[in-house]
Amino acid sequence: MRKPTLLLVLTVLITAGASFAAANLLLRHASPTGPRVAAALPPLPGGVALGDPTPKFVGETRVLAMEAIDATAWAPMNQALVQLARRFLDYPFKGFSLDGGPKEQLVLDLSTFDCFLFVEQLLALSNSRKVDTLDEGMERFGAHVRRLRYVDGEVDYCRRQHYFSRWAEAAERNGYVVNLTPFLPGASSRTVALNFMSNHASSYKPMQLARNKQCITELEKDLVLEQAYIPLAALPGVLPSLRNGDIFALVTKVPGLDVTHVGFLEKRDGVVNAIHAAEGAGVIRSENFETYAGKVQDVIGVAIYRPRPNDGEKKSATESGG
Protein backbone atom coordinates (compact mmCIF):
# COMPACT_ATOMS: atom_id res chain seq x y z
CA MET A 1 0.00 0.00 0.00
CA ARG A 2 1.11 3.59 -0.51
CA LYS A 3 2.50 5.64 2.35
CA PRO A 4 -0.22 7.03 4.68
CA THR A 5 1.21 10.56 4.40
CA LEU A 6 0.83 10.48 0.62
CA LEU A 7 -2.74 9.21 0.95
CA LEU A 8 -3.59 12.04 3.35
CA VAL A 9 -2.11 14.73 1.11
CA LEU A 10 -3.81 13.37 -2.00
CA THR A 11 -7.15 13.11 -0.21
CA VAL A 12 -6.92 16.74 0.89
CA LEU A 13 -5.95 17.83 -2.63
CA ILE A 14 -8.78 15.98 -4.30
CA THR A 15 -11.53 16.91 -1.84
CA ALA A 16 -10.44 20.55 -1.78
CA GLY A 17 -10.55 20.73 -5.56
CA ALA A 18 -6.84 21.55 -5.88
CA SER A 19 -5.30 21.79 -9.32
CA PHE A 20 -4.54 18.69 -11.35
CA ALA A 21 -0.98 19.97 -11.70
CA ALA A 22 -0.35 19.82 -7.95
CA ALA A 23 -1.91 16.39 -7.55
CA ASN A 24 -0.07 15.05 -10.57
CA LEU A 25 3.25 16.34 -9.21
CA LEU A 26 2.74 14.26 -6.09
CA LEU A 27 1.75 11.23 -8.12
CA ARG A 28 4.82 11.47 -10.32
CA HIS A 29 7.03 11.21 -7.24
CA ALA A 30 5.04 8.42 -5.60
CA SER A 31 6.93 5.21 -5.06
CA PRO A 32 5.58 2.31 -7.14
CA THR A 33 3.58 -0.11 -5.08
CA GLY A 34 4.74 -3.60 -4.29
CA PRO A 35 2.90 -6.60 -5.73
CA ARG A 36 -0.59 -7.12 -4.33
CA VAL A 37 -1.19 -10.50 -5.94
CA ALA A 38 -0.39 -13.45 -3.67
CA ALA A 39 0.96 -15.89 -6.21
CA ALA A 40 4.49 -16.90 -7.14
CA LEU A 41 5.16 -17.05 -10.85
CA PRO A 42 5.65 -20.71 -11.81
CA PRO A 43 8.69 -21.65 -13.88
CA LEU A 44 8.23 -21.89 -17.61
CA PRO A 45 7.47 -25.45 -18.73
CA GLY A 46 10.67 -26.75 -20.26
CA GLY A 47 12.62 -23.88 -18.70
CA VAL A 48 12.68 -21.58 -21.73
CA ALA A 49 10.34 -19.06 -23.37
CA LEU A 50 8.35 -20.50 -26.26
CA GLY A 51 7.98 -17.41 -28.39
CA ASP A 52 9.52 -15.00 -30.88
CA PRO A 53 10.51 -11.56 -29.50
CA THR A 54 10.97 -10.07 -32.98
CA PRO A 55 8.23 -7.45 -33.53
CA LYS A 56 5.64 -8.53 -36.10
CA PHE A 57 3.93 -5.49 -37.64
CA VAL A 58 0.49 -6.52 -38.93
CA GLY A 59 -0.71 -4.91 -42.17
CA GLU A 60 -0.09 -1.14 -42.25
CA THR A 61 0.77 -0.95 -38.55
CA ARG A 62 4.28 0.41 -39.09
CA VAL A 63 2.97 3.27 -41.24
CA LEU A 64 0.05 3.94 -38.89
CA ALA A 65 2.41 4.05 -35.92
CA MET A 66 4.82 6.44 -37.64
CA GLU A 67 1.98 8.76 -38.62
CA ALA A 68 0.55 8.69 -35.10
CA ILE A 69 3.93 9.42 -33.50
CA ASP A 70 4.56 12.29 -35.90
CA ALA A 71 1.08 13.79 -35.38
CA THR A 72 1.34 13.79 -31.56
CA ALA A 73 5.09 14.37 -31.25
CA TRP A 74 5.11 17.24 -28.78
CA ALA A 75 1.69 17.12 -27.13
CA PRO A 76 1.58 16.54 -23.36
CA MET A 77 1.14 12.85 -22.67
CA ASN A 78 -2.48 12.96 -21.50
CA GLN A 79 -3.50 15.02 -24.52
CA ALA A 80 -1.48 12.79 -26.84
CA LEU A 81 -3.34 9.72 -25.59
CA VAL A 82 -6.71 11.29 -26.37
CA GLN A 83 -5.46 12.40 -29.80
CA LEU A 84 -4.21 8.86 -30.47
CA ALA A 85 -7.51 7.35 -29.34
CA ARG A 86 -9.44 9.69 -31.64
CA ARG A 87 -7.22 8.76 -34.60
CA PHE A 88 -8.43 5.18 -34.38
CA LEU A 89 -12.15 5.84 -34.01
CA ASP A 90 -14.16 3.46 -36.23
CA TYR A 91 -11.30 0.96 -36.54
CA PRO A 92 -12.65 -2.62 -36.30
CA PHE A 93 -12.72 -4.88 -33.27
CA LYS A 94 -10.95 -8.24 -33.30
CA GLY A 95 -10.82 -10.57 -30.32
CA PHE A 96 -8.03 -13.05 -29.51
CA SER A 97 -5.79 -11.49 -32.16
CA LEU A 98 -2.64 -12.57 -30.29
CA ASP A 99 -3.67 -16.23 -30.34
CA GLY A 100 -3.36 -16.93 -34.05
CA GLY A 101 -0.54 -19.45 -34.11
CA PRO A 102 1.05 -22.24 -32.08
CA LYS A 103 3.98 -20.00 -31.10
CA GLU A 104 3.70 -16.70 -29.20
CA GLN A 105 4.89 -13.66 -31.18
CA LEU A 106 5.40 -10.02 -30.34
CA VAL A 107 2.45 -8.86 -32.42
CA LEU A 108 1.98 -5.13 -33.10
CA ASP A 109 -1.39 -4.41 -34.71
CA LEU A 110 -2.96 -0.99 -35.13
CA SER A 111 -5.39 -2.17 -37.80
CA THR A 112 -7.78 -3.99 -35.43
CA PHE A 113 -8.18 -3.92 -31.68
CA ASP A 114 -9.69 -5.51 -28.65
CA CYS A 115 -10.12 -3.25 -25.62
CA PHE A 116 -6.96 -4.44 -23.85
CA LEU A 117 -4.69 -4.09 -26.89
CA PHE A 118 -6.17 -0.67 -27.63
CA VAL A 119 -5.00 0.61 -24.24
CA GLU A 120 -1.69 -1.24 -24.23
CA GLN A 121 -0.52 -0.23 -27.70
CA LEU A 122 -1.61 3.40 -27.45
CA LEU A 123 0.16 3.69 -24.11
CA ALA A 124 3.26 2.26 -25.79
CA LEU A 125 2.89 4.71 -28.69
CA SER A 126 2.58 7.66 -26.33
CA ASN A 127 5.97 6.69 -24.86
CA SER A 128 7.57 6.30 -28.30
CA ARG A 129 7.39 9.97 -29.28
CA LYS A 130 9.98 12.75 -28.95
CA VAL A 131 12.58 10.75 -30.86
CA ASP A 132 15.23 11.76 -33.39
CA THR A 133 13.91 9.45 -36.12
CA LEU A 134 10.71 7.55 -36.78
CA ASP A 135 12.75 4.33 -36.96
CA GLU A 136 13.80 4.99 -33.39
CA GLY A 137 10.13 5.49 -32.56
CA MET A 138 9.32 2.09 -34.04
CA GLU A 139 12.05 0.45 -31.97
CA ARG A 140 10.68 2.06 -28.84
CA PHE A 141 7.11 1.10 -29.72
CA GLY A 142 8.04 -2.57 -29.96
CA ALA A 143 10.13 -2.43 -26.79
CA HIS A 144 7.38 -0.75 -24.77
CA VAL A 145 4.72 -3.23 -25.93
CA ARG A 146 6.99 -6.13 -25.06
CA ARG A 147 7.68 -4.71 -21.61
CA LEU A 148 4.02 -4.00 -20.93
CA ARG A 149 2.64 -7.24 -22.31
CA TYR A 150 5.03 -9.82 -20.85
CA VAL A 151 6.50 -10.48 -17.43
CA ASP A 152 10.19 -9.52 -17.61
CA GLY A 153 9.78 -9.16 -21.38
CA GLU A 154 9.71 -12.94 -21.90
CA VAL A 155 7.61 -13.52 -25.03
CA ASP A 156 5.67 -16.59 -24.02
CA TYR A 157 1.97 -17.30 -23.52
CA CYS A 158 2.76 -18.27 -19.94
CA ARG A 159 4.35 -14.86 -19.32
CA ARG A 160 1.69 -12.74 -21.04
CA GLN A 161 -0.28 -10.47 -18.70
CA HIS A 162 -3.71 -11.99 -19.29
CA TYR A 163 -5.53 -10.18 -16.45
CA PHE A 164 -5.72 -6.41 -16.68
CA SER A 165 -5.14 -5.82 -12.97
CA ARG A 166 -1.90 -7.80 -13.08
CA TRP A 167 -0.91 -5.91 -16.23
CA ALA A 168 -1.62 -2.61 -14.44
CA GLU A 169 0.31 -3.61 -11.33
CA ALA A 170 3.35 -4.48 -13.45
CA ALA A 171 2.91 -1.25 -15.45
CA GLU A 172 2.87 0.70 -12.20
CA ARG A 173 5.99 -1.02 -10.86
CA ASN A 174 7.73 -0.26 -14.16
CA GLY A 175 6.73 3.40 -14.15
CA TYR A 176 4.01 3.52 -16.84
CA VAL A 177 0.94 4.32 -14.74
CA VAL A 178 -0.20 5.32 -11.28
CA ASN A 179 -3.26 3.63 -9.81
CA LEU A 180 -5.42 6.57 -8.70
CA THR A 181 -8.25 4.37 -7.46
CA PRO A 182 -7.34 4.08 -3.74
CA PHE A 183 -6.98 7.88 -3.50
CA LEU A 184 -10.33 8.81 -5.02
CA PRO A 185 -13.49 9.69 -3.04
CA GLY A 186 -15.62 6.68 -2.13
CA ALA A 187 -12.94 4.09 -2.93
CA SER A 188 -13.62 0.55 -1.76
CA SER A 189 -11.75 -2.73 -2.12
CA ARG A 190 -12.42 -6.42 -2.49
CA THR A 191 -10.56 -9.72 -2.58
CA VAL A 192 -11.03 -11.71 -5.77
CA ALA A 193 -9.54 -15.00 -6.97
CA LEU A 194 -8.38 -14.81 -10.59
CA ASN A 195 -9.07 -18.23 -12.10
CA PHE A 196 -11.36 -17.57 -15.06
CA MET A 197 -8.89 -18.88 -17.64
CA SER A 198 -8.18 -22.18 -15.93
CA ASN A 199 -11.91 -22.67 -15.34
CA HIS A 200 -12.68 -21.97 -19.03
CA ALA A 201 -9.62 -23.46 -20.70
CA SER A 202 -11.59 -24.62 -23.75
CA SER A 203 -12.30 -20.96 -24.65
CA TYR A 204 -8.61 -20.21 -25.20
CA LYS A 205 -6.95 -21.73 -28.26
CA PRO A 206 -3.37 -21.60 -26.89
CA MET A 207 -4.49 -23.52 -23.81
CA GLN A 208 -5.18 -26.54 -25.97
CA LEU A 209 -1.39 -26.90 -25.84
CA ALA A 210 -0.68 -28.92 -22.69
CA ARG A 211 2.27 -26.83 -21.52
CA ASN A 212 0.23 -23.61 -21.72
CA LYS A 213 -2.70 -25.11 -19.83
CA GLN A 214 -0.26 -26.43 -17.25
CA CYS A 215 1.39 -23.09 -16.56
CA ILE A 216 -1.83 -21.07 -16.44
CA THR A 217 -3.51 -23.62 -14.16
CA GLU A 218 -0.49 -23.63 -11.87
CA LEU A 219 -0.41 -19.83 -11.71
CA GLU A 220 -4.11 -19.53 -10.91
CA LYS A 221 -4.09 -22.03 -8.04
CA ASP A 222 -3.23 -19.22 -5.61
CA LEU A 223 -3.85 -16.09 -7.65
CA VAL A 224 -5.70 -13.76 -5.29
CA LEU A 225 -6.06 -10.04 -5.94
CA GLU A 226 -6.72 -7.23 -3.49
CA GLN A 227 -8.53 -4.89 -5.86
CA ALA A 228 -9.37 -1.25 -5.20
CA TYR A 229 -12.37 0.12 -7.08
CA ILE A 230 -14.90 2.94 -7.13
CA PRO A 231 -18.46 1.62 -6.69
CA LEU A 232 -20.82 2.88 -9.38
CA ALA A 233 -22.79 4.86 -6.80
CA ALA A 234 -19.64 6.83 -5.90
CA LEU A 235 -18.62 7.55 -9.51
CA PRO A 236 -20.27 11.02 -9.75
CA GLY A 237 -18.01 12.28 -6.94
CA VAL A 238 -14.92 11.03 -8.77
CA LEU A 239 -15.54 12.55 -12.21
CA PRO A 240 -14.15 16.03 -11.37
CA SER A 241 -10.81 14.43 -10.44
CA LEU A 242 -10.38 12.73 -13.82
CA ARG A 243 -8.66 14.09 -16.91
CA ASN A 244 -7.99 13.39 -20.56
CA GLY A 245 -5.98 10.24 -21.15
CA ASP A 246 -6.79 8.48 -17.88
CA ILE A 247 -7.33 4.73 -18.28
CA PHE A 248 -10.54 3.20 -16.97
CA ALA A 249 -11.25 -0.42 -16.13
CA LEU A 250 -14.77 -1.75 -15.51
CA VAL A 251 -14.71 -3.95 -12.41
CA THR A 252 -16.94 -6.99 -12.69
CA LYS A 253 -18.75 -9.46 -10.45
CA VAL A 254 -18.19 -12.29 -12.95
CA PRO A 255 -16.54 -15.11 -10.95
CA GLY A 256 -12.81 -15.41 -11.54
CA LEU A 257 -12.42 -12.06 -13.29
CA ASP A 258 -11.18 -8.65 -12.19
CA VAL A 259 -12.39 -6.41 -15.04
CA THR A 260 -14.29 -6.98 -18.27
CA HIS A 261 -13.51 -3.83 -20.26
CA VAL A 262 -10.94 -1.02 -20.45
CA GLY A 263 -10.37 2.18 -22.41
CA PHE A 264 -9.41 5.84 -22.22
CA LEU A 265 -11.28 8.81 -20.78
CA GLU A 266 -11.93 12.00 -22.73
CA LYS A 267 -13.24 15.27 -21.30
CA ARG A 268 -15.31 17.35 -23.73
CA ASP A 269 -17.32 20.41 -22.68
CA GLY A 270 -17.13 19.34 -19.05
CA VAL A 271 -18.43 15.81 -19.73
CA VAL A 272 -16.28 12.70 -19.25
CA ASN A 273 -16.59 10.26 -22.16
CA ALA A 274 -15.01 6.89 -22.92
CA ILE A 275 -13.07 5.97 -26.07
CA HIS A 276 -12.64 2.22 -26.31
CA ALA A 277 -12.68 -0.82 -28.59
CA ALA A 278 -16.05 -2.54 -28.22
CA GLU A 279 -17.01 -5.95 -29.55
CA GLY A 280 -19.38 -5.63 -32.49
CA ALA A 281 -18.74 -1.90 -32.84
CA GLY A 282 -15.00 -1.30 -33.11
CA VAL A 283 -13.33 1.76 -31.62
CA ILE A 284 -16.09 4.08 -30.45
CA ARG A 285 -16.79 7.05 -28.23
CA SER A 286 -19.34 6.37 -25.51
CA GLU A 287 -20.60 9.74 -24.34
CA ASN A 288 -21.10 10.26 -20.62
CA PHE A 289 -18.84 7.69 -18.94
CA GLU A 290 -21.02 7.48 -15.83
CA THR A 291 -24.11 6.51 -17.84
CA TYR A 292 -22.14 4.11 -20.04
CA ALA A 293 -20.47 2.29 -17.13
CA GLY A 294 -23.79 1.88 -15.33
CA LYS A 295 -25.31 0.07 -18.30
CA VAL A 296 -22.61 -2.59 -18.77
CA GLN A 297 -23.73 -5.99 -17.53
CA ASP A 298 -22.20 -7.28 -14.26
CA VAL A 299 -20.16 -4.13 -13.62
CA ILE A 300 -19.94 -3.09 -9.95
CA GLY A 301 -17.51 -0.19 -10.27
CA VAL A 302 -14.45 1.21 -11.96
CA ALA A 303 -10.70 1.50 -11.46
CA ILE A 304 -8.74 4.50 -12.74
CA TYR A 305 -5.09 4.64 -13.79
CA ARG A 306 -3.13 7.74 -14.78
CA PRO A 307 -0.42 7.22 -17.42
CA ARG A 308 3.00 8.72 -16.81
CA PRO A 309 5.92 9.22 -19.22
CA ASN A 310 8.35 6.32 -19.36
CA ASP A 311 11.71 6.32 -21.13
CA GLY A 312 11.91 2.53 -21.10
CA GLU A 313 15.12 2.39 -19.11
CA LYS A 314 13.79 1.59 -15.65
CA LYS A 315 14.49 -1.98 -14.60
CA SER A 316 11.72 -4.31 -13.55
CA ALA A 317 11.39 -5.44 -9.94
CA THR A 318 12.85 -8.81 -10.87
CA GLU A 319 15.83 -7.28 -12.67
CA SER A 320 16.59 -4.94 -9.78
CA GLY A 321 16.16 -7.62 -7.15
CA GLY A 322 12.92 -6.12 -5.81
Side-chain angles (χ1 to χ4, degrees):
M1 297 293 291
R2 290 166 174 78
K3 296 178 181 179
T5 53
L6 177 61
L7 174 58
L8 177 60
V9 173
L10 283 172
T11 302
V12 172
L13 283 171
I14 291 171
T15 56
S19 70
F20 286 131
N24 197 43
L25 180 62
L26 284 172
L27 290 169
R28 286 177 61 81
H29 291 281
S31 299
T33 60
R36 293 188 293 274
V37 176
L41 200 65
L44 287 170
V48 296
L50 184 61
D52 184 356
T54 305
K56 176 186 176 182
F57 290 85
V58 176
E60 297 297 313
T61 292
R62 182 183 291 273
V63 173
L64 292 169
M66 287 183 175
E67 292 174 348
I69 287 173
D70 187 55
T72 63
W74 299 106
M77 186 175 190
N78 68 310
Q79 295 295 342
L81 280 165
V82 169
Q83 291 174 24
L84 289 168
R86 290 169 180 164
R87 287 182 69 86
F88 293 101
L89 282 169
D90 299 324
Y91 274 62
F93 180 95
K94 182 179 180 181
F96 298 100
S97 62
L98 301 183
D99 298 346
K103 189 175 183 180
E104 189 82 1
Q105 288 187 291
L106 181 59
V107 174
L108 306 175
D109 187 359
L110 298 178
S111 62
T112 62
F113 300 96
D114 65 21
C115 67
F116 200 157
L117 295 182
F118 184 66
V119 167
E120 178 181 75
Q121 292 184 117
L122 267 57
L123 181 60
L125 272 179
S126 72
N127 283 294
S128 304
R129 303 171 303 131
K130 303 182 182 180
V131 291
D132 292 331
T133 68
L134 287 175
D135 285 339
E136 181 186 351
M138 291 304 92
E139 291 177 7
R140 290 195 181 190
F141 178 39
H144 282 300
V145 170
R146 180 177 176 181
R147 195 156 171 257
L148 285 163
R149 187 175 296 169
Y150 298 102
V151 178
D152 296 331
E154 292 185 284
V155 180
D156 188 293
Y157 188 80
C158 297
R159 290 294 186 261
R160 198 198 303 171
Q161 298 283 12
H162 297 282
Y163 291 96
F164 187 80
S165 294
R166 282 176 62 82
W167 177 94
E169 286 183 339
E172 184 166 23
R173 289 194 299 271
N174 289 324
Y176 286 96
V177 301
V178 173
N179 185 359
L180 293 187
T181 315
F183 305 131
L184 295 172
S188 186
S189 64
R190 65 170 186 166
T191 301
V192 57
L194 300 179
N195 52 28
F196 188 89
M197 291 181 68
S198 53
N199 288 337
H200 300 82
S202 61
S203 299
Y204 299 90
K205 183 178 178 181
M207 287 182 66
Q208 307 317 300
L209 188 64
R211 58 94 65 184
N212 288 344
K213 184 176 181 180
Q214 173 191 338
C215 71
I216 297 298
T217 301
E218 181 66 25
L219 172 65
E220 294 186 357
K221 282 181 179 178
D222 302 302
L223 192 55
V224 179
L225 175 72
E226 295 298 325
Q227 184 181 27
Y229 71 101
I230 307 300
L232 289 176
L235 187 53
V238 167
L239 296 177
S241 301
L242 307 182
R243 74 177 189 184
N244 277 322
D246 284 346
I247 297 169
F248 73 85
L250 300 185
V251 178
T252 184
K253 63 182 180 180
V254 174
L257 281 180
D258 49 350
V259 306
T260 51
H261 198 64
V262 298
F264 291 103
L265 296 178
E266 172 201 56
K267 298 192 84 168
R268 299 178 74 190
D269 301 323
V271 177
V272 179
N273 305 318
I275 300 180
H276 53 114
E279 186 173 3
V283 179
I284 59 173
R285 173 187 288 111
S286 292
E287 297 186 355
N288 195 318
F289 175 61
E290 179 189 352
T291 300
Y292 158 70
K295 292 180 178 179
V296 180
Q297 185 175 2
D298 296 322
V299 166
I300 61 171
V302 304
I304 303 294
Y305 303 87
R306 180 153 295 169
R308 56 191 299 181
N310 187 294
D311 60 13
E313 295 178 356
K314 181 178 177 181
K315 293 182 178 180
S316 68
T318 300
E319 293 169 331
S320 62

